[in-house]
């Protein structure tokens, strides 16, 4: 929309120059509207400045990414609840989750946090890099259940299964099992208490029935029986972010099909295979090709050439990464090599003038690249652009920025 183009122009004519960005942002470079879009209600461009103390464990003062992700999830929830307008070729309509994208500089550590906060509010969301599904609660329960069926005399997997939503034993009930039988393992304690508790009896009967079936069923048939008899998919579908949890479990079942197609496999083989993937840190992901009506989380780099009705651009307070400028030797295509000088008298080393010059030039290039990345991110928005800046030292930083930019805070 026109307001977004004006915001982009205002930002870049302020910060971009030949000295900082390798070019002057003049009238010729300014963005101009090509299409006339119908007007929408509300504010098309938002910049939210979020302060947090980092002093305690509350959401509003905890880890910066957690705070900013929680804020953005609530803002998206309000957009959906209020039916904020976006444009179509036929006019305007209420925004849907699939209209919204969150753009991040890097997905490695932040994307899972944003997914968690969105799912906690019941907002469907997908990410290009959401971490391994083997690390999710549903996958841990699934793997623990397989371990117990293969060998029930393993206390840690058995506790995970009994305390899971499938069986729902409380911490007190688990403690009572152990207190009444301290000599054997937990499975022996479970068998001893079966006659005294209907709940424990049901757990034991189901596990034993599945273990009996495992002796003659193929792995795929056993997994089908497990899913049916435990209601695994239904249990996790009823939980928060249930749709994604079911997709994760279905991905694990598909993985079993693929594994069995490659070679004859026993339950023990598949358990060891999954544990090997998990211990090696290999990411297993659910298929995200059919994202459907979900908020999308992607890198700014991958968003090039795309356009979205609503773009959320958080993490604007992210510090520049100058790690490559502190290397022992710096290299520049025009300025050559620059290193440190060692003074044997004082036993100290310091950068040479050449290295300082190269460092300044590389820093200038890095800043220019960051400006280009910001430009790409801001220009992905068609109707609404929501930006956020989260800092522990917000007031001080805003004051310093306002002085540099010569406008009042």
């Amino acid at each position: 929309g026109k307001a977004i183009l004006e915001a982009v122009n205002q930002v870049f004519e302020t910060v971009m120059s030949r000295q900082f960005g390798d070019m002057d942002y003049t009238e010729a470079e300014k963005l101009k509207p090509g299409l006339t879009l119908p007007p929408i209600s509300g504010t098309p461009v938002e910049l939210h400045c979020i302060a947090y103390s980092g002093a305690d464990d509350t959401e509003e003062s905890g880890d910066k990414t957690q705070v900013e992700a929680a804020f953005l999830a609530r803002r998206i929830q309000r957009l959906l609840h209020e039916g904020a307008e976006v444009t179509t070729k036929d006019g305007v309509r209420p925004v849907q989750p699939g209209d919204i994208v969150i753009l991040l500089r890097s997905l490695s550590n932040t994307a899972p946090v944003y997914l968690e906060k969105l799912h906690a509010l019941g907002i469907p969301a997908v990410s290009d890099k959401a971490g391994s599904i083997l690390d999710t609660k549903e996958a841990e329960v699934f793997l623990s259940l397989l371990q117990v069926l293969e060998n029930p005399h393993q206390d840690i997997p058995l506790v995970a299964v009994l305390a899971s939503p499938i069986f729902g034993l409380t911490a007190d009930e688990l403690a009572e099992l152990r207190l009444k039988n301290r000599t054997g393992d937990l499975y022996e304690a479970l068998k001893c208490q079966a006659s005294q508790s209907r709940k424990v009896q049901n757990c034991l009967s189901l596990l034993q029935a599945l273990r009996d079936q495992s002796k003659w069923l193929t792995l795929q048939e056993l997994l089908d029986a497990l899913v049916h008899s435990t209601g695994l998919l239904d249990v996790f579908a009823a939980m928060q972010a249930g749709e994604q949890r079911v997709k994760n479990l279905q991905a694990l079942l598909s993985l079993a099909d693929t594994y069995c197609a490659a070679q004859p496999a026993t339950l023990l083989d598949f358990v060891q295979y999954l544990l090997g993937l998990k211990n090696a840190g290999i990411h297993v992901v659910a298929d995200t090709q059919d994202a459907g009506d979900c908020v999308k989380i992607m890198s700014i780099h991958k968003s090039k050439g795309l356009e979205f009705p609503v773009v959320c651009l958080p993490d604007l307070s992210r510090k520049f990464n100058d790690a490559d400028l502190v290397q022992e030797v710096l290299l520049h295509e025009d300025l050559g090599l620059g290193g440190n000088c060692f003074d044997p008298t004082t036993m100290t080393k310091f950068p040479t003038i050449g290295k300082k010059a190269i460092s300044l030039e590389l820093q200038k290039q890095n800043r220019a690249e960051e400006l280009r990345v910001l430009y790409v991110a801001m220009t992905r928005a068609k109707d609404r652009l929501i930006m956020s800046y989260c800092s522990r030292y917000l007031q001080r930083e805003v004051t310093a920025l306002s002085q540099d930019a010569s406008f009042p805070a």
Side-chain angles (χ1 to χ4, degrees), residues 52-273:
Y52 81 106
S53 67
D56 53 52
D57 293 328
T58 61
E59 180 184 75
E60 295 304 322
S61 58
D63 176 79
K64 184 176 83 72
T65 302
Q66 295 278 345
V67 172
E68 197 163 11
F71 170 84
L72 192 56
R74 292 194 299 270
R75 182 67 190 96
I76 291 173
Q77 184 184 47
R78 289 201 305 274
L79 283 177
L80 297 172
H81 178 72
E82 295 167 359
E85 294 176 341
V86 295
T87 62
T88 67
K89 59 182 180 181
D90 300 320
V92 298
R93 61 167 174 80
V95 67
Q96 300 295 324
D99 299 321
I100 304 171
V101 66
I102 299 174
L103 298 182
L104 299 170
R105 190 70 171 93
S106 171
L107 300 181
S108 298
N109 299 318
T110 52
V113 179
Y114 282 85
L115 273 179
E116 176 191 349
K117 298 301 181 183
L118 289 166
H119 288 163
L121 296 180
I123 301 171
V126 294
S127 169
D128 293 332
K129 190 168 185 178
S132 175
I133 60 175
L134 290 175
D135 296 327
T136 62
K137 180 177 181 180
E138 55 273 17
E140 290 176 353
V141 171
F142 177 75
L143 179 53
S144 295
L145 192 49
L146 296 185
Q147 289 177 279
V148 169
L149 295 184
E150 193 278 321
N151 178 9
H153 300 283
Q154 303 178 79
D155 282 3
I156 294 177
L158 184 55
V159 168
V161 169
L162 295 176
S164 73
I166 297 173
F167 296 120
L169 266 67
T170 65
D172 289 342
E173 289 169 331
L174 290 170
E176 186 178 355
L177 282 175
R178 173 50 70 202
L179 287 172
K180 291 185 176 180
N181 191 322
R182 302 190 179 192
T183 55
D185 56 48
L186 187 60
Y187 187 65
E188 294 299 328
L190 196 69
K191 292 194 293 184
C192 290
Q193 294 299 312
S195 61
Q196 300 179 32
S197 168
R198 176 63 63 86
K199 193 173 185 180
V200 171
Q201 176 63 49
N202 291 339
C203 295
L204 186 63
S205 298
L206 180 54
L207 291 175
Q208 189 57 53
L210 287 170
R211 292 198 71 232
D212 290 341
Q213 293 179 65
S214 70
K215 297 174 183 177
W216 64 80
L217 294 180
T218 66
L219 176 60
Q220 291 159 301
E221 291 171 340
L222 176 63
L223 294 181
D224 288 340
L226 181 153
V227 169
H228 177 73
S229 60
T230 62
L232 187 69
L233 299 181
D234 292 334
V235 168
F236 282 100
M239 296 175 63
Q240 205 168 60
E243 184 177 353
Q244 185 60 47
R245 293 181 189 276
V246 170
K247 286 182 179 179
N248 292 340
L249 289 169
Q250 289 172 335
L252 290 175
L253 295 173
S254 297
L255 184 63
D257 292 338
T258 304
Y259 185 73
C260 291
Q263 58 191 10
T266 64
L267 176 59
L268 177 60
D269 293 332
F270 188 56
V271 167
Q272 291 178 336
Y273 173 66

Side-chain angles (χ1 to χ4, degrees), residues 331-401:
L331 175 64
H332 188 272
E333 57 184 1
D334 296 325
L335 301 179
L337 289 171
N340 295 319
C341 182
F342 180 71
D343 185 348
T345 306
T346 59
M347 300 297 290
T348 58
K349 62 180 180 181
F350 51 89
T352 61
I353 293 177
K355 183 179 181 182
K356 288 184 176 180
I358 293 173
S359 178
L360 289 172
E361 186 61 28
L362 291 176
Q363 186 182 65
K364 178 182 175 182
Q365 291 178 1
N366 289 347
R367 299 297 184 268
E369 174 61 20
E370 292 297 330
L371 277 180
R372 288 190 285 270
V373 170
L374 178 63
Y375 183 85
V376 168
M378 293 183 69
T379 53
R380 298 310 93 200
K382 186 179 79 167
D383 298 316
R384 298 181 184 275
L385 175 61
I386 301 172
M387 301 174 286
S388 62
Y389 182 102
C390 183
S391 173
R392 185 180 301 182
Y393 312 105
L394 182 64
Q395 185 58 51
R396 186 173 72 191
E397 291 173 355
V398 169
T399 301
L401 285 171

Side-chain angles (χ1 to χ4, degrees), residues 296-341:
K296 299 170 184 63
I297 302 174
M298 66 172 60
S299 67
I300 297 174
H301 177 75
K302 191 170 181 179
S303 73
K304 287 182 179 179
L306 302 177
E307 187 179 61
F308 306 92
V310 181
V311 168
C312 299
L313 185 56
D315 205 18
L316 293 181
S317 62
R318 183 187 182 98
K319 303 300 181 185
F320 292 120
N321 184 4
D322 290 330
D324 55 339
L325 303 183
V326 297
Q327 303 297 321
E328 290 290 325
V329 177
L330 298 181
L331 175 64
H332 188 272
E333 57 184 1
D334 296 325
L335 301 179
L337 289 171
N340 295 319
C341 182

